[in-house]
Amino acid sequence: MEKRFIYADNAATTAVSEEVLNAMLPYFRTAYGNASSIYKLGRDAQRDVEAAREKVAKALGAEPREIFFTSCGSEADNWAIKGAAETMAKKGKRHIITSVFEHHAVLHTCEYLEKHGIEVTYVPVSDKGLIDPEDIRKAIREDTALVTIMFANNEIGTIQPIAEIAEICHEKGVLFHTDAVQAVGHVDIDVKKMGIDMLSLSGHKIHAQKGIGALYVRKGIILPNLIHGGGQERGKRAGTENVPAIVGLGVAIENATKNIAERNAVIIPRRNRLIDGILQIPYTRLNGDRDKRLPGNLNISIEGIEGESLLLMLDMNGICASSGSACTSGSLDPSHVLLSIGLKHEIAHGSLRLSIEDDTSDEDVDYILSVLPGIVSRLREMSPVWEKMMKGEAYE
Ligand code: PLP
């Protein structure tokens, strides 16, 4: 089959769409006013920032005044969690609940808070990558300030029972935050119907640029100011607004949240064909629940290979993908997500994540399925681990 270029790593980041780019361009050279300035150029920028805020709010079922623009999803997570911890600590509530397989933007924030007198409970996940809401109920204490659970996992794509968890939190009078960076634009979200108090999102996962995000904060929740300075973002996050990025996010979220069902009807059968095709390779397994997962996500462990080598070989064949090992952080530790669902270290090392969208064609799926088995065979031939496995010897 002729070599193709296939971008199958949309969970890492996405290309800025043509429509988003075109919407942004005027704000660099012609409509470049400071949104705080009083003359028309500034007032126009202010108007367009507010129009983008309305779009973000509408996409989530929120009110515009409940949306705060941030520089990224990590910032939104940090603000929600540290902010709630600070506010609630004043009321004597110094306990937070999260899960073991959150993104590091949440886990490292919680670790930071632990060093500053906050207690954190990390609830487990099942071997299918799902959180049991009853575990949250059991973990809630008198002094629990916040529960923060991701909407969908970034590696294995599993979608959590967010509305059920939120309901338990509200029964117990506890705030509920969700990191929805991977979920927005892929599943329907209505913060009011689902009972979400705070929600983080990021632009670059939905075809806006890198470096823009937002935090939804339900009316009535008072978070401490994140950046002190001017009056931007109602004084809560100072700093001259990044107007092009904000306008781009507005367009991106509007596009990402319309026709979700139609797009998923195209993506899911292709994703399933990839899963079934890859699972034909011996000694492979799907990580995470097959159905309760993001439409474009698949994560498969392939025994006897190293994820990094697989990614390099896929790259040589024009395929951009991701693996379970934390190679991006310069460490070869296997992913905490894969370990949390009970995979052994050596199996977690050989995992492949593909995250596709509706532009991944049937021909792309055929191409991936045509090159992958050969790559796996070649890597296994070179692998001492595979040799031991085949001889039935212990390996670790
Ligand atoms: N949370 C999740 C679940 C993510 O997948 C990511 C990015 O990969 C982030 C947070 C961080 O988002 P950002 O890159 O915008 O800081």
Side-chain angles (χ1 to χ4, degrees), residues 69-87:
F69 292 113
T70 62
S71 71
C72 57
S74 302
E75 182 184 316
D77 284 341
N78 271 257
W79 191 8
I81 299 168
K82 287 183 197 157
E86 187 184 323
T87 304

Side-chain angles (χ1 to χ4, degrees), residues 148-159:
T148 173
I149 296 292
M150 69 200 318
F151 207 114
N153 184 270
N154 45 304
E155 289 188 36
I156 57 175
T158 48
I159 299 170

Side-chain angles (χ1 to χ4, degrees), residues 195-212:
I196 297 166
D197 293 318
M198 292 188 281
L199 176 146
S200 306
L201 64 91
S202 176
H204 73 105
K205 311 288 186 182
I206 54 169
H207 301 283
Q209 68 159 81
K210 294 159 189 62
I212 182 71

Side-chain angles (χ1 to χ4, degrees), residues 327-347:
C327 46
T328 44
S329 62
S331 117
L332 281 180
D333 290 342
S335 122
H336 67 288
V337 173
L338 297 178
L339 296 182
S340 77
I341 59 167
L343 294 197
K344 288 197 211 145
H345 275 235
E346 66 279 4
I347 294 176

Side-chain angles (χ1 to χ4, degrees), residues 21-310:
L21 181 64
N22 287 336
M24 290 170 67
L25 284 175
Y27 299 92
F28 291 102
R29 301 276 300 155
T30 48
Y32 52 81
N34 183 323
S36 302
S37 299
I38 201 140
Y39 41 79
K40 186 171 182 309
L41 202 65
R43 290 197 316 272
D44 286 353
Q46 178 68 26
R47 177 201 61 209
D48 297 344
V49 164
E50 292 318 313
R53 199 185 308 281
E54 272 172 37
K55 287 184 178 149
V56 175
K58 188 161 173 235
L60 301 174
E63 291 175 28
R65 58 183 298 229
E66 297 173 313
I67 303 298
F68 296 90
F69 292 113
T70 62
S71 71
C72 57
S74 302
E75 182 184 316
D77 284 341
N78 271 257
W79 191 8
I81 299 168
K82 287 183 197 157
E86 187 184 323
T87 304
M88 300 307 281
K90 290 182 192 139
K91 300 180 185 167
K93 298 195 172 205
R94 309 181 70 86
H95 176 234
I96 288 178
I97 299 168
T98 188
S99 81
V100 288
F101 82 158
E102 298 293 310
H103 189 271
H104 285 130
V106 169
L107 286 181
H108 289 167
T109 302
C110 288
E111 284 163 21
Y112 165 84
L113 288 171
E114 281 180 297
K115 291 189 190 120
H116 292 81
I118 302 291
E119 251 187 90
V120 182
T121 300
Y122 299 87
V123 296
V125 291
S126 71
D127 55 354
K128 299 244 181 219
L130 298 171
I131 290 167
D132 181 351
E134 286 311 309
D135 285 340
I136 305 279
R137 190 193 294 281
K138 281 183 219 143
I140 292 179
R141 317 189 311 208
E142 278 295 300
D143 64 341
T144 304
L146 175 77
V147 171
T148 173
I149 296 292
M150 69 200 318
F151 207 114
N153 184 270
N154 45 304
E155 289 188 36
I156 57 175
T158 48
I159 299 170
Q160 305 308 319
I162 291 301
E164 279 173 76
I165 295 172
E167 200 182 323
I168 292 172
C169 292
H170 291 163
E171 267 172 38
K172 306 266 188 186
V174 174
L175 286 177
F176 177 63
H177 165 253
T178 185
D179 172 344
V181 166
Q182 291 290 341
V184 168
H186 301 289
V187 291
D188 287 321
I189 299 180
D190 186 311
V191 286
K192 303 287 173 197
K193 285 192 190 138
M194 294 178 154
I196 297 166
D197 293 318
M198 292 188 281
L199 176 146
S200 306
L201 64 91
S202 176
H204 73 105
K205 311 288 186 182
I206 54 169
H207 301 283
Q209 68 159 81
K210 294 159 189 62
I212 182 71
L215 179 64
Y216 153 76
V217 184
R218 182 173 55 74
K219 202 168 47 191
I221 297 174
I222 310 291
L223 286 187
N225 297 354
L226 181 68
I227 301 179
H228 304 274
Q232 294 91 351
E233 299 302 296
R234 303 217 313 282
K236 296 222 140 290
R237 183 189 183 275
T240 302
E241 294 88 344
N242 186 345
V243 182
I246 289 172
V247 169
L249 177 62
V251 175
I253 201 163
E254 192 171 59
N255 286 341
T257 52
K258 71 180 174 212
N259 309 329
I260 289 184
E262 283 90 330
R263 268 185 287 122
N264 288 349
V266 173
I267 298 167
I268 291 172
R270 291 186 185 149
R271 192 270 321 266
N272 287 346
R273 202 152 72 77
L274 273 172
I275 293 178
D276 293 334
I278 299 173
L279 289 180
Q280 296 290 312
I281 302 172
Y283 296 97
T284 51
R285 75 180 73 181
L286 178 68
N287 296 318
D289 191 272
R290 186 168 172 130
D291 301 316
K292 291 178 187 153
R293 69 191 304 128
L294 290 171
N297 170 286
L298 71 87
N299 188 308
I300 288 181
S301 288
I302 306 174
E303 289 189 47
I305 61 152
E306 279 294 327
E308 282 72 23
S309 322
L310 177 65

